[in-house]
Amino acid sequence: MTLGQVVRTFSVCISAALLCPHAVASTRENRCGWLQNPTPANWWLVDKDGSWTLSVMGERPVPGFDDLPDMTSRDWVVTNAGGHGYGCACIDMDVDNGAGEVVRIYSAKVLPLKRCKTDRSLPLP
């Protein structure tokens, strides 16, 4: 490889990192809080750090969302027609903390409502 090719390759790598900072900023985390689904296809998790969008009607959900188990099977509070509402859950996911976005979902676990209700760091659902 010539010096010119090395410089070009290095420049491309640096440019990609600068143009897509979220590509290097995502971290895998297990976040727990209120899992909310107030209306069809709209899902987010609210934890001590804020709201994490998982799915929005009319848009593609976060990769891995469609593989989640039924999160409304137990300890689910219905607040709207069609079984829409909220529950308590932990979700294993990649997040971009800088942008406050979920990058990928790996798994989720339904928790008893009591866990979120007694967690003082969480807002009310």
Side-chain angles (χ1 to χ4, degrees), residues 83-110:
H84 297 94
Y86 66 89
C88 186
C90 284
I91 301 179
D92 180 23
M93 58 189 175
D94 280 336
V95 298
D96 179 341
N97 284 309
E101 296 177 352
V102 178
V103 178
R104 175 156 189 60
I105 298 172
Y106 296 100
S107 64
K109 180 180 176 183
V110 176

Side-chain angles (χ1 to χ4, degrees), residues 20-85:
C20 301
H22 62 278
V24 293
S26 68
T27 57
R28 189 164 175 171
E29 300 178 2
N30 189 46
R31 294 190 162 269
C32 301
W34 294 111
L35 181 64
Q36 300 180 348
N37 171 226
T39 53
N42 294 308
W43 288 84
W44 56 84
L45 180 77
V46 178
D47 68 4
K48 63 182 178 54
D49 296 323
S51 181
W52 301 91
T53 301
L54 309 175
S55 175
V56 175
M57 182 182 276
E59 296 179 17
R60 275 207 150 111
V62 171
F65 177 81
D66 292 333
D67 298 326
L68 291 178
D70 180 5
M71 301 301 289
T72 65
S73 60
R74 64 180 171 90
D75 282 326
W76 186 255
V77 178
V78 175
T79 60
N80 201 354
H84 297 94

